Amino acid sequence: MTSEIILFGVGAMGQRIARLASGRGHRIRAAIDMDPAKRGVPLGRLAGLADPLAGPAITSDVEQALRGAPATVLHATASFLRDVAGEIEICLTHGHDVISIAEEMSCPQAASASIATRLEATAKRHDARVMGTGVNPGFAMDILVLALTVPCGRVDHIHATRTNDLSDFGPTVLHSQGVGLTPEGFEKALQAGKVVGHVGFGQSIALIARHLGWSVDSVNETREPIISSVARETPHLRIVPGEVAGCRHCASAHVGGREVLRLEHPQQIRPEAEGQETSDHIRITGDQTIDMRITPEIAGGAGTAAAAVNALAYLGHAPAGLVHLTDLPLTSPRMTTTSPRGAMR
Amino acid sequence: MTSEIILFGVGAMGQRIARLASGRGHRIRAAIDMDPAKRGVPLGRLAGLADPLAGPAITSDVEQALRGAPATVLHATASFLRDVAGEIEICLTHGHDVISIAEEMSCPQAASASIATRLEATAKRHDARVMGTGVNPGFAMDILVLALTVPCGRVDHIHATRTNDLSDFGPTVLHSQGVGLTPEGFEKALQAGKVVGHVGFGQSIALIARHLGWSVDSVNETREPIISSVARETPHLRIVPGEVAGCRHCASAHVGGREVLRLEHPQQIRPEAEGQETSDHIRITGDQTIDMRITPEIAGGAGTAAAAVNALAYLGHAPAGLVHLTDLPLTSPRMTTTSPRGAMR
């Protein structure tokens, strides 16, 4: 079963989504982006589809793009709820379902209860569904954690660590993690809100807590510089020993005064320079201990695009309103045909 | 939210289920077992509950035990569909939901299409739900595999290997894996149907295929002796070099003539005697490679009891009929209270 799609945001992630969705046979009937440089360009050319003339021309006319029968909007513009809520509401108002990769959309209540309530009401009023997904939040530190609790009789503590490599990212991402700063510079940038670390711990904690029935009474977060003891280099920048290679962002959640969840996400360039291998590591302690490791870590970019396109087959079965990944069956890739070649593509 | 439970089968697994369910505050209102030695014994004493006089007396009067308002039957008597279908149908006829740990119940169609159709019809007629769960099948080689496909854009091949230790098991299980035989004796026992290996590959393959949309055209199975090169000993038996330590049972599934899934399950006593560590290992290849390892392996007995009790919170939300784990959200342990102590128990 293929879907009619409207793509909202045709940056690097939107382009990945376009390639994957059209490869699966979904029809992208409109593509929205606010960048004047993209206006009028065929989606096929911009996203590198097999046929460069395939797909609609990119438009910044949102109202026009959203006209027509209900479809599913794949939304990939920004991370924070306050920046995306307006865009998503317009889509819902037109009766379209929305799958967003905005980090805070995987559990918007954790960012703003009032905006979440508004999204839920708007979706219900227009018989539409809205959800967020991605690799993190949305999988590596929440859905995969919850999957591992299925055979647990009792969960006392969860510890998830995602160690990744920022070397492929450009200046914007590197600056948001403080890469290249001195330790003092990192501290100042942190105070000024320029080093943000990971976006999504609040969502992962909320997804886990609501699914396990935990009533979390406090969350602590720390952001520390990862100070390199060796020189490290990427295509974008070079750091010397003593400079910051990245940010170790941690969050812990407490129930009844006791830590029940600890999330650690050291993000840095060239972790292998100091013998760090990248991985997703989850350790659950309770009536049994489950120690899981994925090496190397699940790819963030490719995985987030896949998670969004995979969700197309599931969202339509949910009741109208705000939908959480934890309400759905596992959003595995659903092959659009059962023919042998189709099944393998 | 706690449930009213009828326990069907009070063997080792049924007793585990009783302890876990009553620890979570569920009320076990009847307990059925056909063993005359257990008749009349309080469940509390048999299952080692905190209060030995707690719970109902074990009965073999099925009709009497099933009387009353709709409840959920936790069913733990045997592995094969043909042996459990009758018991489960009686429960459904009384309007009770059923959660079974019979291996073949996690996808009964894979064992018998006609029995599965009958169970589905009986359940629907009586507005009841029936499902199977457990660690394997039900988690380690299917649900966990599917969880790992969530961030995959394309799945070309899945390879899951579960390496476990049979040392704690008694003679019945050890004989079913050929432990202690000579290689020639293993071959004869295999031909005679006395060595069965793992029960549930058909279910795991079917669960994966139906969720990913694969149309499997052939399945191959092999059962080979694991011949020990050292002496190995358990409380129940001792083997010498050259004798069989267990059974390596493998299954592969093909789509369009190509292998897409390989499941390997070497089950043996004392794997550490030859440096084998126990683990669950899943490797997915496609647009990305996901290599996951859990060491040691997920506990089969404790995990299966937990999976069954955890499913209580989810089954009631499914429509009447035959329910598959892949239709439900992740059946994580749902705490029955949000108070701090309750949440942690």
Side-chain angles (χ1 to χ4, degrees):
Chain A
M1 207 190 57
T2 55
S3 305
E4 286 246 317
I5 290 170
I6 299 166
L7 190 60
F8 201 139
V10 199
M13 286 304 303
Q15 293 173 37
R16 274 184 192 269
I17 289 171
R19 288 192 293 273
L20 189 58
S22 53
R24 294 248 192 106
H26 301 296
R27 179 173 167 260
I28 304 175
R29 78 175 192 212
I32 303 165
D33 200 285
M34 294 303 148
D35 180 356
K38 294 175 186 164
R39 205 172 302 158
V41 178
L43 178 63
R45 174 135 47 96
L46 187 64
L49 303 185
D51 174 2
L53 295 177
I58 315 291
T59 179
S60 58
D61 184 340
V62 176
E63 287 291 336
Q64 155 101 45
L66 294 179
R67 245 173 244 159
T72 304
V73 175
L74 289 176
H75 173 266
T77 64
S79 297
F80 295 103
L81 185 62
R82 60 173 183 268
D83 299 328
V84 300
E87 296 169 353
I88 290 172
E89 277 197 280
I90 296 174
C91 300
L92 295 172
T93 304
H94 281 77
H96 301 305
D97 288 348
V98 179
I99 297 169
S100 176
I101 62 165
E103 281 90 333
E104 290 191 345
M105 276 301 297
S106 63
C107 196
Q109 304 92 306
S112 162
S114 63
I115 298 180
T117 304
R118 212 173 65 213
L119 287 173
E120 160 94 344
T122 306
K124 283 196 162 155
R125 199 160 50 239
H126 296 278
D127 191 28
R129 283 140 285 270
V130 55
M131 67 177 284
T133 189
V135 161
N136 192 26
F139 186 70
M141 302 185 107
D142 36 54
I143 292 297
L144 184 54
V145 165
L146 290 170
L148 292 171
T149 67
V150 166
C152 292
R154 204 185 69 232
V155 175
D156 294 333
H157 190 264
I158 296 168
H159 189 172
T161 308
R162 178 165 166 84
T163 306
N164 66 341
D165 184 349
L166 298 177
S167 304
D168 285 343
F169 287 92
T172 312
V173 168
L174 299 185
H175 289 154
S176 73
Q177 308 297 325
V179 182
L181 299 176
T182 62
E184 300 72 34
F186 183 95
E187 212 45 58
K188 276 188 205 150
L190 192 61
Q191 300 304 329
K194 287 175 183 166
V195 167
V196 294
H198 169 59
V199 179
F201 278 145
Q203 282 65 40
S204 292
I205 293 168
L207 283 173
I208 291 171
R210 84 193 280 279
H211 200 60
L212 297 184
W214 282 354
S215 178
V216 171
D217 44 42
S218 71
V219 171
N220 297 332
E221 287 193 59
T222 59
R223 293 173 185 81
E224 289 170 358
I226 299 170
I227 298 167
S228 192
S229 60
V230 298
R232 305 191 193 186
E233 191 170 356
T234 80
H236 297 284
L237 126 165
R238 186 174 191 286
I239 64 167
V240 298
E243 287 182 336
V244 172
C247 176
R248 173 184 298 276
H249 191 171
C250 300
S252 60
H254 300 75
V255 173
R258 197 171 68 75
E259 180 182 291
V260 292
L261 175 62
R262 182 165 177 76
L263 304 175
E264 298 191 23
H265 195 5
Q267 303 200 75
Q268 64 199 293
I269 58 167
R270 303 269 174 251
E272 79 281 6
E274 298 196 37
Q276 277 263 9
E277 76 181 350
T278 63
S279 66
D280 285 294
H281 180 212
I282 296 171
R283 187 176 175 89
I284 297 177
T285 43
D287 64 327
Q288 60 174 310
T289 299
I290 297 181
D291 195 290
M292 185 226 73
R293 197 177 289 273
I294 295 174
T295 315
E297 92 284 16
I298 292 162
T304 293
V309 174
N310 292 345
L312 282 168
Y314 299 88
L315 181 59
H317 300 288
L322 179 58
V323 177
H324 298 87
L325 281 165
T326 46
D327 304 326
L328 299 176
L330 287 164
T331 56
S332 302
R334 202 105 181 184
M335 296 309 151
T336 49
T337 150
T338 53
S339 80
R341 281 208 53 211
M344 293 300 89
R345 256 187 302 181
Chain B
M1 207 189 60
T2 55
S3 305
E4 286 247 316
I5 291 171
I6 299 166
L7 191 59
F8 201 141
V10 198
M13 286 305 302
Q15 293 172 36
R16 275 184 191 270
I17 288 171
R19 287 191 294 273
L20 189 57
S22 54
R24 293 247 192 107
H26 301 296
R27 178 173 167 259
I28 303 176
R29 77 176 192 211
I32 304 165
D33 200 286
M34 293 303 148
D35 180 355
K38 293 176 187 163
R39 207 172 300 160
V41 179
L43 178 63
R45 174 136 45 98
L46 188 64
L49 302 185
D51 174 1
L53 296 177
I58 315 290
T59 179
S60 58
D61 184 341
V62 176
E63 287 291 337
Q64 154 100 48
L66 295 178
R67 246 173 243 160
T72 303
V73 175
L74 289 176
H75 173 267
T77 63
S79 296
F80 295 104
L81 186 62
R82 59 174 183 269
D83 299 327
V84 301
E87 297 169 351
I88 290 172
E89 275 197 282
I90 296 175
C91 300
L92 295 171
T93 305
H94 281 79
H96 301 304
D97 288 348
V98 179
I99 296 169
S100 176
I101 62 163
E103 282 90 332
E104 290 191 344
M105 276 303 297
S106 63
C107 197
Q109 304 94 305
S112 163
S114 63
I115 298 180
T117 304
R118 214 173 63 214
L119 287 173
E120 160 95 343
T122 306
K124 281 195 163 154
R125 200 159 49 238
H126 296 277
D127 191 27
R129 284 139 285 270
V130 53
M131 67 176 286
T133 190
V135 161
N136 192 26
F139 186 70
M141 301 185 107
D142 36 55
I143 292 297
L144 184 54
V145 165
L146 290 170
L148 292 171
T149 68
V150 166
C152 292
R154 205 184 69 231
V155 175
D156 293 334
H157 190 266
I158 295 168
H159 188 171
T161 307
R162 178 165 167 84
T163 306
N164 66 341
D165 184 348
L166 298 177
S167 305
D168 286 342
F169 287 92
T172 312
V173 169
L174 298 185
H175 289 155
S176 74
Q177 308 296 326
V179 181
L181 300 175
T182 62
E184 301 72 32
F186 183 96
E187 212 45 59
K188 277 187 203 149
L190 193 61
Q191 300 303 329
K194 287 176 186 168
V195 167
V196 294
H198 171 59
V199 179
F201 278 147
Q203 281 65 39
S204 292
I205 293 169
L207 282 173
I208 292 171
R210 83 194 282 279
H211 201 60
L212 296 184
W214 282 355
S215 177
V216 170
D217 45 42
S218 71
V219 171
N220 297 332
E221 286 193 58
T222 59
R223 291 172 187 82
E224 289 170 358
I226 300 169
I227 299 167
S228 192
S229 61
V230 297
R232 304 190 193 186
E233 192 169 356
T234 80
H236 297 284
L237 127 166
R238 185 176 191 286
I239 64 169
V240 298
E243 287 182 337
V244 172
C247 176
R248 173 184 297 277
H249 191 171
C250 300
S252 60
H254 301 75
V255 173
R258 195 171 71 74
E259 181 183 291
V260 292
L261 175 61
R262 182 165 177 77
L263 304 177
E264 299 190 23
H265 195 6
Q267 301 201 74
Q268 65 198 292
I269 57 166
R270 302 268 173 252
E272 78 282 6
E274 298 197 36
Q276 276 262 10
E277 76 181 349
T278 62
S279 66
D280 285 293
H281 180 211
I282 296 171
R283 188 177 173 88
I284 297 177
T285 43
D287 64 327
Q288 60 173 310
T289 299
I290 296 181
D291 196 290
M292 185 226 73
R293 196 178 289 273
I294 295 173
T295 313
E297 91 284 17
I298 292 163
T304 293
V309 175
N310 292 345
L312 282 168
Y314 299 89
L315 181 59
H317 300 288
L322 180 58
V323 177
H324 298 85
L325 281 164
T326 46
D327 304 326
L328 299 176
L330 287 165
T331 55
S332 302
R334 203 107 180 181
M335 295 311 149
T336 49
T337 150
T338 52
S339 80
R341 279 209 53 209
M344 292 301 89
R345 257 187 302 180

